[in-house]
Amino acid sequence: MIYNSFKLLCHYNVLLKIILIITMKYIFKSSLIISVFLVGNNVLFAQNEIDALRFSQTAPGGTARGIGLAGAMGAVGGDFSALSVNPASIGVYRKSELVITPNLKFANVKSNYLNNDEQYTKTKMTISNFGVVFANPAKGQDYESKSWKSSSFGIGFNRIADFNQDGLFAGNNSESSMSDVFAVDARLNGTNYNSMPPFGSFAWNAYLLDNGLNSIPGEIIKNGGSLYQEKYWESKGGINEWSFTYGGNYKEQLYLGVSANVLGYKYDRYTSYLEQDISGNTNNNFESSDFREYLKTTGTGFNLKIGALYNIADKGKIGAAFHTPTWVYLEDIADYEMYTKTEQLKRTLGGSDQNPDSYVAINDPLYFEYRLNTPWKATVNAMAFLGKYGFVSADYEYVGYNNMKYNMGLQYKDFTKAINNNIQNTFKGGHNIRVGVEGRYEGFLARIGGAYSSSPYQRKDLYLGDRFDLSIGFGARFGKFFMDIAYINITQKVGEYGYPLIASGVPVGIATVKNNHNAA
């Protein structure tokens, strides 16, 4: 990612006009989320523990200065991205400020599935940060007489998660067919065309199951053959955290801050699960199938943060902050379709339709609204000055991933309980460590940072999940104007099942997906 931050110290009236216009546009846009979609009344049961994790994990975002320090901003202060870590950092401000940060992201995905390697790349331009801070420092005699040396109010957003990514993994499978798990779903839930989720009914109506609800492609595996399998996905969106932060400076020693935060969620994903017979046999009733999912998730969340920093004789600062769980309201809209080629099967059955090509789709998009509590967080922050030449900073953060929880209403109480149990049995608390160094020479600055986030999974051997961040950055000050640029590399490996669902007794391959986000 390449991040450029532009900062300008402004007068109150200019800042106020800008922020009011932007905030009102955002609030108006958010109010339309519920009303713009008119869909069918079917319910979508697509929520699981992986979806909860997606909306709970965050990555370094915000200003270029924060990115250059790998997000180790909790004790630094005086920067808008620090407000997402410790709101007490707003107490460091002495002047009002306007900042905006565009970024260019290069998402590179490498995968290994069934001993086959693939790679995919996507480029996306977004806005990582926008914010204004209104500082009200005491001056002159007031400064000498008052204990509270300054107070500040900030409003704006930091992009704390980015979902823009295209990916692919593929390989030859000689152990199972995806239709095997669809067959299990058909035997459990029937082949009603409107059964949810539609896996079993789709397989039946697309001629992938025989009269005993057994998988026809699965017979190729039983006879010693293999199938080419491919999963391709395109996703976009992210999480923007709008913060309303207030804090102050007590006797130049203690900084206190609190923030109320409104989060906007947007996640769009297209996924294709392709399966092809590679035996060369044109008389085994199966050539290919392509099951496609379209998912659109939007939502709004709210949380609170409180923090404190203590100045240690101008040698550095230490502090801590607590973030409540984020209470999120989400809406899903999903659509499904399947294309199949079944060679001579229809002709053998003797029906009027003898076209080997079949197409199955649901009549109306599926709609579901629900609530999710993402994890609470606790952070400890520290910074030490390197004389007049800069500083070193560090953050430790604990995230209670096993405390994520869905609420889908009384009608789906049993389903909700099962998913929440899966969350507790799948995840554990996560540990994030961030370290950054900033060096200064006259009006120029250089930064370097690194971060490690532990795997949130209890079965790390199976699902992996550790994340490593490395960053560098540069900055310059020209009077009241600042400009920063930063680069960050984020690397994370995760284990992912090759099928859209799993079933007891059906072996399912796990792909290793390496997400590597780089600068150009």
Side-chain angles (χ1 to χ4, degrees):
M1 305 174 188
I2 297 178
Y3 293 80
N4 294 276
S5 285
F6 303 94
K7 300 182 180 180
L8 182 63
L9 307 182
C10 302
H11 295 292
Y12 281 100
N13 58 344
V14 177
L15 287 172
L16 185 59
K17 290 179 181 178
I18 294 173
I19 196 60
L20 284 177
I21 292 172
I22 294 176
T23 302
M24 290 305 296
K25 285 185 177 180
Y26 174 77
I27 293 174
F28 177 73
K29 181 179 178 181
S30 297
S31 68
L32 294 178
I33 291 176
I34 297 176
S35 61
V36 294
F37 299 114
L38 297 176
V39 296
N41 294 321
N42 294 320
V43 174
L44 168 66
F45 289 125
Q47 298 74 29
N48 57 38
E49 58 272 21
I50 303 303
D51 295 310
L53 181 65
R54 177 186 306 114
F55 297 127
S56 300
Q57 283 190 311
T58 60
T63 67
R65 187 187 189 198
I67 294 299
L69 295 169
M73 294 294 296
V76 176
D79 186 272
F80 200 88
S81 62
L83 306 188
S84 290
V85 182
N86 188 335
S89 61
I90 198 171
V92 179
Y93 277 95
R94 294 295 183 272
K95 296 180 180 179
S96 298
E97 181 180 272
L98 166 68
V99 59
I100 184 170
T101 307
N103 75 73
L104 181 63
K105 175 183 177 181
F106 297 84
N108 180 267
V109 177
K110 297 180 180 179
S111 63
N112 181 278
Y113 181 62
L114 303 173
N115 299 315
N116 182 64
D117 295 325
E118 298 287 348
Q119 181 171 296
Y120 226 89
T121 300
K122 183 175 184 176
T123 303
K124 181 72 174 181
M125 173 74 80
T126 60
I127 298 296
S128 178
N129 155 266
F130 171 83
V132 291
V133 174
F134 303 93
N136 184 28
K139 298 180 180 179
Q141 188 174 354
D142 282 345
Y143 180 86
E144 298 297 332
S145 62
K146 290 183 177 180
S147 297
W148 287 97
K149 304 302 182 182
S150 68
S151 63
S152 299
F153 174 74
I155 181 172
F157 78 87
N158 290 315
R159 191 171 182 87
I160 60 174
D162 192 290
F163 303 136
N164 291 286
Q165 183 190 86
D166 292 355
L168 168 75
F169 59 76
N172 296 333
N173 194 334
S174 60
E175 291 190 338
S176 70
S177 165
M178 186 172 67
S179 296
D180 291 335
V181 293
F182 286 8
V184 173
D185 183 69
R187 291 192 288 269
L188 290 175
N189 300 310
T191 59
N192 187 315
Y193 196 74
N194 290 318
S195 64
M196 301 301 150
F199 307 112
S201 61
F202 267 38
W204 170 257
N205 286 282
Y207 295 89
L208 295 180
L209 306 182
D210 62 22
N211 289 333
L213 298 183
N214 298 303
S215 165
I216 293 175
E219 293 298 315
I220 298 174
I221 302 294
K222 293 180 181 179
N223 293 327
S226 61
L227 300 168
Y228 171 80
Q229 295 177 338
E230 176 185 289
K231 178 181 177 180
Y232 169 76
W233 67 92
E234 299 175 359
S235 63
K236 59 183 180 180
I239 304 175
N240 289 334
E241 181 179 68
W242 283 81
S243 297
F244 302 82
T245 308
Y246 181 78
N249 168 2
Y250 183 75
K251 293 185 177 181
E252 301 290 2
Q253 289 186 321
L254 181 64
Y255 306 90
L256 299 175
V258 61
S259 66
N261 308 283
V262 179
L263 289 79
Y265 296 78
K266 184 178 180 182
Y267 179 66
D268 294 343
R269 183 188 70 207
Y270 160 73
T271 309
S272 168
Y273 297 88
L274 176 67
E275 192 165 82
Q276 292 178 331
D277 175 23
I278 56 175
S279 67
N281 185 348
T282 60
N283 197 33
N284 58 14
N285 296 327
F286 178 74
E287 180 181 336
S288 66
S289 66
D290 188 359
F291 179 73
R292 300 177 181 181
E293 297 179 323
Y294 305 85
L295 174 65
K296 182 181 184 67
T297 301
T298 55
T300 303
F302 175 78
N303 66 40
L304 296 171
K305 301 177 184 180
I306 186 170
L309 290 171
Y310 185 78
N311 194 355
I312 306 174
D314 294 326
K315 296 184 180 296
K317 293 193 290 287
I318 58 172
F322 177 77
H323 304 180
T324 69
T326 303
W327 300 280
V328 191
Y329 169 81
L330 294 166
E331 294 179 322
D332 284 357
I333 298 175
D335 210 348
Y336 299 87
E337 61 183 358
M338 177 180 275
Y339 297 84
T340 61
K341 295 179 181 292
T342 52
E343 298 173 345
Q344 310 302 318
L345 177 60
K346 292 183 183 179
R347 184 175 300 173
T348 302
L349 295 175
S352 59
D353 178 12
Q354 297 188 3
N355 186 345
D357 297 344
S358 298
Y359 173 73
V360 183
I362 58 177
N363 296 326
D364 296 301
L366 308 180
Y367 170 80
F368 193 45
E369 60 183 45
Y370 55 100
R371 288 170 175 80
L372 171 68
N373 291 352
T374 66
W376 59 270
K377 300 179 182 179
T379 69
V380 178
N381 322 112
M383 183 192 74
F385 290 109
L386 304 176
K388 63 180 181 179
Y389 298 106
F391 61 83
V392 57
S393 63
D395 292 335
Y396 166 77
E397 183 176 73
Y398 177 85
V399 187
Y401 290 114
N402 53 327
N403 294 306
M404 297 182 295
K405 184 177 293 186
Y406 281 109
N407 182 351
M408 302 180 189
L410 293 177
Q411 184 179 358
Y412 308 107
K413 180 176 65 175
D414 292 339
F415 179 77
T416 303
K417 182 178 179 181
I419 295 299
N420 288 336
N421 286 339
N422 285 344
I423 288 175
Q424 293 181 3
N425 294 330
T426 302
F427 300 111
K428 61 181 180 180
H431 307 275
N432 302 328
I433 300 172
R434 302 182 289 264
V435 179
V437 179
E438 179 177 278
R440 301 175 183 174
Y441 180 74
E442 295 183 350
F444 298 94
L445 306 99
R447 306 177 184 100
I448 187 170
Y452 167 74
S453 298
S454 68
S455 172
Y457 296 99
Q458 295 183 21
R459 289 288 310 275
K460 179 181 173 180
D461 59 320
L462 190 64
Y463 300 111
L464 308 173
D466 290 335
R467 193 183 78 203
F468 300 88
D469 307 340
L470 293 174
S471 63
I472 59 173
F474 302 93
R477 178 173 181 173
F478 310 98
K480 294 183 177 181
F481 181 74
F482 295 78
M483 185 174 70
D484 296 309
I485 187 170
Y487 159 87
I488 189 169
N489 172 271
I490 300 176
T491 302
Q492 183 179 36
K493 285 186 178 181
V494 295
E496 182 175 329
Y497 285 110
Y499 300 157
L501 76 164
I502 59 176
S504 177
V506 179
V508 181
I510 296 181
T512 299
V513 180
K514 182 180 180 181
N515 300 306
N516 196 344
H517 302 163
N518 299 288

